[in-house]
Amino acid sequence: MDPTAAMPVFTTLDALTELVTERSRLYVRWSRGPSVDLQRVSSMDDLTGAAMPGLSASPLDVEAWWEDRPARVWVARRLYDYSHLPRVKDSLTRPWVLRGQEMGRGPDNEPLVRDVDPLGWIDDRVIAEADAVITRQPGSWGPIRRDGSAL
């Protein structure tokens, strides 16, 4: 059975933020989706080609040091940091939320996650909302990019 068939879609940043504040061990993964990823449940280091023991993902759980700052800004930042991936890696790359167990860390210190439970796709509108939230922040920040080109 295709795990994406019944997967809901998060269409607002507020809905995703609500999930993040109610549950733990949540991650966002940017890929072609669970139907592809769950066939192998491992990622490949792009630089060396080494197989890694879990799916590379970004944690969504709000860290304690964030204190009473808005969870919505936290979630927006976590999405914004990798929002460039569909443009620079693969046009079929989409963000999706999962719950899982961290099994280690990849070469960029990213969590490697197994025992994956796909929870939903993240709509492009949420990414646009996240971009707007981050753009309004007082500091200067851009998404993580390694190719040196402008967005």
Side-chain angles (χ1 to χ4, degrees):
M1 180 176 154
D2 181 358
T4 62
M7 212 162 75
V9 177
F10 292 93
T11 58
T12 67
L13 184 57
D14 288 338
L16 182 57
T17 300
E18 183 177 334
L19 177 74
V20 168
T21 59
E22 292 175 353
R23 299 192 59 186
S24 62
R25 295 185 4 221
L26 297 181
Y27 300 85
V28 61
R29 174 148 168 86
W30 295 79
S31 71
R32 292 184 173 202
S35 62
V36 174
D37 292 342
L38 297 182
Q39 292 178 25
R40 62 184 188 284
V41 194
S42 72
S43 294
M44 183 85 52
D45 175 31
D46 288 340
L47 182 64
T48 65
M52 298 183 287
L55 296 177
S56 176
S58 298
L60 287 173
D61 294 354
V62 179
E63 294 286 341
W65 59 263
W66 189 251
E67 297 176 340
D68 61 351
R69 294 174 183 91
R72 188 172 195 267
V73 175
W74 175 269
V75 174
R77 168 101 185 248
R78 301 307 299 152
L79 295 175
Y80 184 81
D81 284 348
Y82 292 94
S83 63
H84 66 287
L85 288 177
R87 290 186 300 274
V88 300
K89 190 168 186 169
D90 179 346
S91 64
L92 298 177
T93 295
R94 296 175 58 193
W96 54 284
V97 180
L98 62 97
R99 189 163 195 266
Q101 181 67 43
E102 191 173 323
M103 301 303 293
R105 293 284 174 149
D108 295 321
N109 203 32
E110 74 279 17
L112 301 175
V113 182
R114 297 190 57 95
D115 301 326
V116 171
D117 179 19
L119 300 178
W121 293 105
I122 300 173
D123 193 89
D124 288 343
R125 291 174 285 189
V126 179
I127 303 306
E129 279 186 83
D131 181 75
V133 167
I134 298 306
T135 300
R136 287 191 302 268
Q137 298 305 304
S140 177
W141 192 251
I144 298 168
R145 288 190 356 267
R146 290 194 174 90
D147 66 359
S149 65
L151 288 176

